[in-house]
Amino acid sequence: MNDRGWRKLGPDPALRAWAEAALPVARQEIAASPEPWRCGGTWFVGVDALPNAADGSVGACAFPWQALPVAPRSLHRAQLSVIRPGYPQPSEEESAAAFAFRQKRAAAHLDGLLPIGPDRRRMIREPHAWILGVPLTSVRAAPLVVWEGSHRIMAEALRQALRPHPPESWADIDITDAYQAARAEVFRTCARVELPVVPGEASLLHRLTVHGVASWSGTEREDRIIAYFRPMLASVAEWIAQP
């Protein structure tokens, strides 16, 4: 991964072929899913929603590993992140402060930090290798947002928070305060970059890059659908040690 913490890939015919194969399958799964839409009916989270095989293939279409600067590995079912026109809207499940953060900061976050316990303290429970987004529709509205270089700030802050503890306990360490302080520094010092992608392209993020989703703007009326892959590493120690 480069110093920016993100790469835009393509255009590549293999990426386009996979997106074209995945789109009708994705639409069927989205229509049949009982999962409620969030943000006032404008966001379908779609975790593990795409029934791709472990090698990433969809039906007879192989996964486009040849178009990616990462080694092939076993993949989970992709998340289908779907955004509708008007995103975001207020909703009962989100506080006014959280909604304002979604509007102002694109709900910026670091993947893999889960809210644990009644106080929802952040712990590193999903140590991803990388984050790959493959767009299935040609909608540029509500693009992925990244804070360029944020992975370096996050890595240093989380290493300091984990250092006093034995590595085998790192998945159970409360890193909320360190994470929030580092994210505030990211907002102060890192450039906010929007990354719209269309079929044939893809976005690849360093696992420690702070990112979110921009509010919908423009006149496009089709849903924005992106398939996201986040394969897991073996441990938090590997997650924090890798460059």
Side-chain angles (χ1 to χ4, degrees), residues 28 40 72-73 133 142 155 158 161-162 168 173 209 224:
Q28 291 177 0
R73 61 168 65 220
L158 296 181
L162 294 172
E168 61 271 19
I173 301 302
T209 295
R224 191 275 276 152

Side-chain angles (χ1 to χ4, degrees), residues 51-98:
N52 55 274
D55 62 2
S57 61
V58 176
C61 186
F63 194 70
W65 289 111
Q66 68 271 30
L68 307 177
V70 292
R73 61 168 65 220
S74 180
L75 294 175
H76 57 89
R77 289 168 57 119
Q79 176 193 7
L80 291 173
S81 174
V82 187
I83 300 292
R84 282 177 171 165
Y87 170 88
Q89 295 295 312
S91 59
E92 292 183 358
E93 71 267 13
E94 191 167 59
S95 68

Side-chain angles (χ1 to χ4, degrees), residues 156-167:
E156 179 58 27
L158 296 181
R159 286 185 187 120
Q160 289 187 19
L162 294 172
R163 191 169 291 128
H165 309 279

